[in-house]
Amino acid sequence: MSKMFIDNLNELQFDALKELANVGAGNATVALSSLLNKHIKLSVSDARIVDISQVPEIVGDEEKVMTGILIMLKGGISGCVMFLFDTGSVDKMLDILFEKFPDFRSEKKIKKNLTEEFNEMEISAIMEVGNIISGAYLKALSDMTDITINVSVPMLQMDMVGSIMSVPAIQMGKEVDKLLLIDTHFSEDIDFNGYYIFIPDEASNKKMLESLQLV
């Protein structure tokens, strides 16, 4: 999101974005509970507009190793979405997904924070979880704005947060310097935090607000 859009965002418009976050969390809860066959509660603890450069500090620090799944957006909405979560949480989800098929899990290693240390099936499962979560939020956005959103194939990165956040920054170029960051918490049968990041371009911002009749 550009400075011009964020600086002029009023309380009603920001409330609409937070409502999208809550609806998206509800969608993700249903989808993940079905995938993992577990009772999962996904709640939004905070939704805020931040500078791209602030993300590493918010989630921990620049050198914290996390898993990021990036999806580029085209069509009615252009930009990108990313879901960030601790690499340790990835192992928790994989243990649940493969609990009936333990032979598909790679051997545990002292350090398991690089993509190549997961086998092909594990990587596919990680990307599917990220795709489901991101898709749940995008469905909420599409339903509420009546805008068709086309998505790219998910891109997976396991690295330090500073390196991960350089990817959407490069993809979006100098057009944006701010983003919507949604803190989410998974609880019940699985317990960890995640961060949903939404970075639409300026034209998409205007289109979304017009669709919500907020301009």
Side-chain angles (χ1 to χ4, degrees):
M1 299 180 182
S2 73
K3 287 182 178 178
M4 180 178 68
F5 172 75
I6 293 303
D7 289 344
N8 292 314
L9 196 68
N10 61 41
E11 186 176 351
L12 182 61
Q13 292 167 336
F14 189 62
D15 284 345
L17 291 180
K18 289 194 288 186
E19 179 60 21
L20 284 172
N22 287 319
V23 174
N27 291 343
T29 297
V30 174
L32 277 179
S33 294
S34 177
L35 175 69
L36 300 175
N37 195 28
K38 298 287 183 180
H39 187 264
I40 296 173
K41 180 179 179 181
L42 196 161
S43 57
V44 175
S45 58
D46 193 17
R48 47 189 157 161
I49 303 297
V50 302
D51 290 332
I52 291 179
S53 61
Q54 290 180 295
V55 174
E57 180 183 351
I58 291 170
V59 303
D61 66 67
E62 210 169 74
E63 297 185 355
K64 181 178 181 179
V65 174
M66 298 190 77
T67 296
I69 298 170
L70 177 70
I71 298 176
M72 300 304 298
L73 309 177
K74 293 183 179 180
I77 299 292
S78 295
C80 64
V81 297
M82 174 182 279
F83 192 77
L84 273 178
F85 47 111
D86 292 337
T87 301
S89 300
V90 172
D91 262 332
K92 291 180 183 178
M93 284 190 295
L94 291 175
D95 285 339
I96 292 173
L97 281 167
F98 293 107
E99 63 183 354
K100 293 182 179 179
F101 307 97
D103 291 343
F104 288 123
R105 291 285 271 130
S106 58
E107 292 183 5
K108 301 289 183 181
K109 299 183 179 181
I110 296 175
K111 289 187 177 181
K112 194 167 187 180
N113 54 24
L114 300 175
T115 305
E116 57 264 27
E117 293 187 27
F118 289 90
N119 63 41
E120 187 175 336
M121 289 200 67
E122 289 171 329
I123 290 174
S124 179
I126 295 167
M127 292 178 68
E128 180 60 18
V129 169
N131 197 29
I132 285 174
I133 295 171
S134 297
Y137 281 96
L138 291 175
K139 183 179 186 305
L141 175 61
S142 181
D143 289 346
M144 292 181 74
T145 60
D146 199 28
I147 297 175
T148 299
I149 305 172
N150 298 321
V151 301
S152 70
V153 174
M155 293 177 276
L156 173 67
Q157 188 176 11
M158 293 180 181
D159 208 332
M160 292 182 293
V161 180
S163 296
I164 291 177
M165 290 310 302
S166 69
V167 178
I170 292 171
Q171 293 284 349
M172 296 299 293
K174 296 181 179 180
E175 183 176 359
V176 295
D177 58 4
K178 291 184 182 287
L179 51 82
L180 174 66
L181 179 70
I182 301 171
D183 296 8
T184 56
H185 180 69
F186 298 79
S187 57
E188 304 294 337
D189 288 345
I190 188 170
D191 184 26
F192 66 89
N193 294 317
Y195 302 88
Y196 179 78
I197 294 169
F198 180 38
I199 318 176
D201 63 16
E202 182 62 31
S204 298
N205 286 317
K206 184 177 180 181
K207 184 181 295 185
M208 285 188 298
L209 293 178
E210 287 176 343
S211 297
L212 291 169
Q213 298 183 339
L214 294 175
V215 293

